Amino acid sequence: VVRTGLSLNEDQIKNLTLFEIEQILLRNNSSLKNYRRMPYPDLDSVSSSNNRLIAEELDYDIPNLKNDFDRLFVSLTNEQRNIFQDIMAKIKNNKGGVFFIYGYGGTGKPFLWKTISAAIRSQVEIVLNVASSGIASLLLTGGRTAHSRFIIPINLTEDSFCKINPKIDLAILIRKASLIIWDEAPMVHKHAFEALDRTLKDILKFVDPTNSSIPFGGKVVVFGGDFRQILPVVPGGSRQNIVNDY
């Protein structure tokens, strides 16, 4: 009997059962691969079924999410709807893509993030919502700070990596995610994005070796923010110089 503590569908139960049978056969110097007509378990799916992080990201009321999406989608402006459709097309094609949504305060960026997240989660897929600050992350459904989610080093350099081993649960969660949304992106140094880029390439090359040469490992990533909320950098300038230049 397979006990995971998670709610599983029929295919997941079959896969876990095959995995348990395979473990028994291996202990007796055999394998399911020795039997032509016997299916073989999807080991990545087994890891996902026992992954607490994935379980948390899929723990949503799907009927309610579908209702929320229907309500939110009809309220999108034409520009927001075009952005939504471009992002969803990239996710559907599974070829990766990087977007930056620029808009000053009050233009509805959090509303767009909520609509996109509802659309993806209502299809029982994963979207990782992060923000550069704790306050901004509270406006995102299931939001976390980027440093917390991706274990970004505090002291960044141009060669930094996020501290994510490709074999741990967090790496499996990232591989399963359909989309990453990063709000208030201009608030952090470019080395944070570069570290995430290197890390995703390292994690996702196990899925496809060509991902190591694609931005963010072929994952669809959406950045958002307002550069007008960031004071300009005046080398050697005083507070008065910075405020005057702004």
Side-chain angles (χ1 to χ4, degrees):
V1 178
V2 179
R3 295 182 177 89
T4 65
L6 304 176
S7 177
L8 304 176
N9 59 37
E10 186 176 344
D11 288 338
Q12 290 172 320
I13 292 173
K14 288 180 179 178
N15 195 55
L16 283 169
T17 303
L18 286 169
F19 175 77
E20 292 294 329
I21 293 172
E22 175 67 5
Q23 298 308 301
I24 294 171
L25 290 173
L26 288 173
R27 288 195 293 268
N28 290 275
N29 299 316
S30 187
S31 171
L32 286 171
K33 293 179 179 179
N34 296 336
Y35 305 91
R36 289 185 179 180
R37 297 184 180 180
M38 283 294 294
Y40 195 75
D42 181 347
L43 299 182
D44 195 38
S45 294
V46 171
S47 298
S48 300
S49 298
N50 291 282
N51 190 322
R52 176 183 56 82
L53 298 178
I54 290 179
E56 289 175 355
E57 290 297 330
L58 294 176
D59 188 21
Y60 290 95
D61 188 321
I62 302 304
N64 281 344
L65 273 177
K66 290 180 178 179
N67 291 334
D68 288 344
F69 169 69
D70 291 338
R71 175 177 53 82
L72 294 167
F73 184 75
V74 296
S75 299
L76 293 176
T77 64
N78 289 335
E79 186 176 14
Q80 289 173 329
R81 191 167 298 183
N82 290 335
I83 295 170
F84 171 87
Q85 291 172 343
D86 287 344
I87 294 171
M88 296 303 292
K90 286 291 185 181
I91 295 171
K92 184 177 181 180
N93 292 336
N94 196 30
K95 293 184 178 179
V98 181
F99 298 83
F100 181 83
I101 311 303
Y102 172 66
Y104 53 85
T107 54
K109 293 190 298 297
F111 185 83
L112 180 59
W113 309 150
K114 190 173 183 179
T115 305
I116 295 171
S117 298
I120 294 173
R121 287 169 173 158
S122 65
Q123 298 173 14
V124 199
E125 296 181 12
I126 295 173
V127 53
L128 301 179
N129 283 324
V130 302
S132 297
S133 69
I135 293 175
S137 70
L138 296 176
L139 300 177
L140 303 171
T141 308
R144 296 270 296 273
T145 63
H147 279 76
S148 170
R149 172 58 78 190
F150 300 122
I151 319 180
I152 300 173
I154 299 299
N155 299 315
L156 288 161
T157 69
E158 60 184 10
D159 299 316
S160 292
F161 271 82
C162 301
K163 297 179 180 179
I164 305 176
N165 186 303
K167 296 182 180 180
I168 66 174
D169 284 356
L170 178 55
I172 297 172
L173 170 67
I174 292 172
R175 283 197 286 267
K176 288 289 184 182
S178 299
L179 173 68
I180 295 172
I181 296 176
W182 187 330
D183 197 19
E184 301 294 353
M187 292 179 63
V188 298
H189 196 280
K190 69 174 184 177
H191 288 341
F193 310 123
E194 293 170 351
L196 180 61
D197 176 48
R198 294 187 195 96
T199 304
L200 292 185
K201 288 177 179 177
D202 185 53
I203 291 172
L204 294 164
K205 71 182 180 183
F206 290 92
V207 178
D208 184 345
T210 62
N211 286 338
S212 62
S213 60
I214 304 174
F216 296 97
K219 189 68 63 180
V220 181
V221 182
V222 177
F223 297 103
D226 178 11
F227 287 105
R228 279 174 284 193
Q229 296 179 22
I230 308 299
L231 289 174
V233 176
V234 180
S238 65
R239 179 182 297 181
Q240 182 178 1
N241 296 140
I242 294 173
V243 173
N244 285 339
D245 283 2
Y246 186 70

